[in-house]
Amino acid sequence: MKIEEYLSAMKKRCSRRKYTNRPIDSKYVQQLEDSIALYNKESGLNIKLVIGSGAELFSGFRKSYGLFVGVQNYIAMIGSKTLPNRMEKVGRFGEKIILEATAMGLSTCWVGTSYDKNAAKELCEGNEELDCVIAVGYSDEKHSLKERMMEYGTHRQNKSKEALIEAEEHVPEWFKQGMDAVYLAPTARNLRPFVFEYKDGQVTASTTVPTETAMIDLGIAKLHFELGARVGSWDYGNGSHYYFDDKWKDGDI
């Protein structure tokens, strides 16, 4: 996908929790499968797209606490327990898939706890761990009352963009553009548990709150920064550096 398409999808993406029973178009299923195969090879994860079995994870109040309705399909974010930087990779590549799905006109939502993990255990092999799932499908254009209430609740917890930045000097335009994209990144409970530091022309990103999903959130945010800034790429790890390169010259990633 072109960089501009990712950036456009960022602005359109919002978490949806109520889905229709419309099947995902077969061409989009294939595109998602192709992306997942590519990202599994690149990351070492074992991401899986599950079509038509979402009810097993989300049906009933006890499984989803009534937060999700009509989920038919999901993406299981799976990786070996010994895979280096697994949680950050889950965030990075899961969000990349979400942005691509958004560009296809699909609705999505990161789901960390509000589903039945036991129902998805059979997807894991050997020493693998299911870290979270991503609901995917079609939603009504109008948000449900419950969705609007949840959006209101999470938005009240918003940190300002300035609270996500540590800089004692003037920051360049590319850094500002990167942080504009970071501010669009979804995080668990909208906590935004990270900070981006600019010092002596160098950028680092670190977690600030020790939540279970902090590294997933950081992986998502670092991807957003990379897409927005357009001038480099990240090392993996908490407190890692952003490096300048020429991977963006052709406008594709």
Side-chain angles (χ1 to χ4, degrees):
M1 236 167 67
K2 297 286 187 182
I3 300 170
E4 299 301 334
E5 292 176 293
Y6 280 107
L7 294 173
S8 177
M10 262 186 220
K11 296 173 183 176
K12 293 177 183 176
R13 184 217 62 82
C14 63
S15 298
R16 299 302 305 270
R17 295 171 175 83
K18 184 176 181 181
Y19 293 81
T20 70
N21 59 5
R22 176 185 168 187
I24 299 177
D25 294 353
S26 58
K27 66 177 180 179
Y28 294 145
V29 172
Q30 187 60 58
Q31 288 177 26
L32 290 171
E33 292 279 18
D34 290 345
S35 288
I36 287 170
L38 176 64
Y39 299 150
N40 281 340
K41 184 176 181 180
E42 183 176 340
S43 67
L45 294 169
N46 189 19
I47 306 167
K48 296 180 179 179
L49 174 63
V50 181
I51 298 293
S53 300
E56 296 176 9
L57 270 66
F58 295 96
S59 64
F61 184 84
R62 292 181 63 184
K63 293 181 180 180
S64 67
Y65 306 102
L67 300 178
F68 289 88
V69 177
V71 178
Q72 305 293 320
N73 322 288
Y74 64 92
I75 299 163
M77 301 304 297
I78 299 169
S80 169
K81 294 177 182 178
T82 60
L83 178 68
N85 304 300
R86 185 186 83 240
M87 299 287 272
E88 184 180 342
K89 289 176 178 178
V90 164
R92 177 181 178 83
F93 290 98
E95 181 67 3
K96 204 166 182 184
I97 294 167
I98 280 178
L99 294 176
E100 291 172 12
T102 300
M104 298 173 195
L106 297 170
S107 297
T108 60
C109 187
W110 281 99
V111 190
T113 57
S114 305
Y115 67 98
D116 186 353
K117 257 198 169 184
N118 290 327
K121 273 187 176 180
E122 63 183 28
L123 295 173
C124 297
E125 304 167 10
N127 196 37
E128 289 182 339
E129 183 80 13
L130 173 66
D131 291 307
C132 59
V133 302
I134 298 168
V136 59
Y138 295 100
S139 294
D140 290 330
E141 186 173 334
K142 185 177 180 181
H143 289 221
S144 68
L145 175 61
K146 188 170 291 185
E147 286 178 310
R148 295 199 302 273
M149 289 175 64
M150 290 198 67
E151 289 161 10
Y152 173 75
T154 55
H155 287 167
R156 290 184 63 186
Q157 301 178 41
N158 272 349
K159 288 183 181 178
S160 68
K161 195 180 302 177
E162 290 71 26
L164 305 179
I165 299 171
E166 287 185 2
E168 297 179 357
E169 56 194 287
H170 176 74
V171 297
E173 189 62 29
W174 59 262
F175 181 85
K176 294 177 183 178
Q177 291 174 347
M179 292 309 300
D180 286 343
V182 168
Y183 205 63
L184 296 173
T187 62
R189 301 187 301 281
N190 215 27
L191 292 176
R192 295 187 172 128
F194 42 70
V195 64
F196 286 70
E197 181 180 8
Y198 181 86
K199 185 177 181 180
D200 299 327
Q202 300 294 315
V203 180
T204 56
S206 308
T207 59
T208 55
V209 182
T211 67
E212 290 184 5
T213 60
M215 289 306 297
I216 294 178
D217 292 337
L218 185 63
I220 295 170
K222 286 167 71 172
L223 172 70
H224 274 235
F225 183 94
E226 187 175 310
L227 289 166
R230 309 187 193 201
V231 292
S233 54
W234 291 96
D235 273 345
Y236 284 110
N238 196 9
S240 62
H241 285 79
Y242 184 70
Y243 291 96
F244 300 96
D245 58 39
D246 58 1
K247 69 180 283 187
W248 302 98
K249 284 184 177 177
D250 296 328
D252 295 299
I253 64 168

